[in-house]
Amino acid sequence: LLLLTELSADLQFLRWNPHWQCFAWNQNDCRGHAQSALHAMLQDSDIDFANLIEFDDFSNLTAIPDAWATLQTTCGRDRVALLYNASRWRIASLGGAGQVGCMISEDRPFIVQAFERIDNATEGSSDALDGVVVIGAHFPHPSRFNESLSDDLVLPLRLSLQSVMEASATSKVVLVADTNEFTSTSSDLIKSYLELPGN
């Protein structure tokens, strides 16, 4: 999880990658435990946005509370789902305010989506408080030990992010991702290779 730009609101995020083996092999009912744990985490931790990576097929998922909505995409067999609390947030209504893609061909999906905060005092109206761009992604592994991702691997995500930021006219960005980066890679380096404002 990486807060890429300063936000004025106090938001809660979840990033979880139980890995595909949990669902494909389902040892000791891993699938059932993962779905139960997801429901509890979303409600008990008062989450605003969650990025689920390599999670089970959402067509049969009953673990999402009623107030939640889901965006999802796949690249090959890899799956990313961006969940959001629909009682607080809605997808930005502007054209081009959301994109999906693959960081490499047929693998490593990402979702870049602009959201508008719903004003609870006037819920259902067209007024929105704050906007934010949320990235849900599953990054590829760096090609060399103790090095960061090469530019060709981050380019598709960077271009999509720039497009969504421009379309939504917001520079508030949160990355909720399994970056697969080594611990030597700083948040500032990730901000830099995504070319965020202020770098």
Side-chain angles (χ1 to χ4, degrees):
L1 175 65
L2 177 62
L3 183 64
L4 296 179
T5 54
E6 185 176 338
L7 297 177
S8 58
D10 184 20
L11 305 179
Q12 301 294 324
F13 301 92
L14 169 68
R15 194 266 319 151
W16 191 22
N17 184 353
H19 290 86
W20 62 269
Q21 293 92 333
C22 174
F23 305 99
W25 299 344
N26 198 27
Q27 293 179 331
N28 302 310
D29 191 29
C30 188
R31 175 184 287 115
H33 291 300
Q35 291 188 353
S36 296
L38 173 62
H39 191 280
M41 285 188 284
L42 292 175
Q43 288 199 305
D44 297 346
S45 299
D46 198 28
I47 302 295
D48 287 273
F49 298 98
N51 181 28
L52 303 180
I53 301 155
E54 296 185 343
F55 213 86
D56 204 3
D57 182 3
F58 278 85
S59 64
N60 297 317
L61 186 62
T62 58
I64 301 174
D66 290 339
W68 285 77
T70 306
L71 302 171
Q72 58 183 310
T73 190
T74 58
C75 292
R77 294 182 178 181
D78 200 357
R79 176 181 291 115
V80 166
L82 183 60
L83 285 65
Y84 62 98
N85 187 329
S87 66
R88 294 182 193 151
W89 298 93
R90 64 178 169 236
I91 292 174
S93 57
L94 300 167
Q99 292 195 14
V100 298
C102 305
M103 292 185 75
I104 55 180
S105 180
E106 293 299 310
D107 202 7
R108 305 300 170 155
F110 64 82
I111 300 171
V112 182
Q113 182 63 57
F115 291 91
E116 300 168 339
R117 185 166 180 94
I118 297 170
D119 183 347
N120 292 330
T122 57
E123 190 165 337
S125 75
S126 61
D127 297 330
L129 293 176
D130 296 319
V132 64
V133 174
V134 180
I135 305 167
H138 189 197
F139 283 30
H141 293 273
S143 58
R144 292 196 170 103
F145 177 72
N146 225 19
E147 288 186 11
S148 186
L149 293 176
S150 58
D151 189 64
D152 61 314
L153 295 178
V154 298
L155 182 63
L157 175 56
R158 183 171 65 233
L159 294 176
S160 291
L161 175 59
Q162 290 170 349
S163 177
V164 170
M165 287 173 60
E166 183 177 326
S168 63
T170 185
S171 60
K172 297 175 183 176
V173 179
V174 177
L175 174 65
V176 189
D178 181 347
T179 65
N180 281 311
E181 288 281 17
F182 294 102
T183 55
S184 59
T185 300
S186 68
S187 296
D188 286 339
L189 181 57
I190 295 172
K191 289 169 64 174
S192 175
Y193 68 53
L194 290 177
E195 294 184 3
L196 287 168
N199 287 326

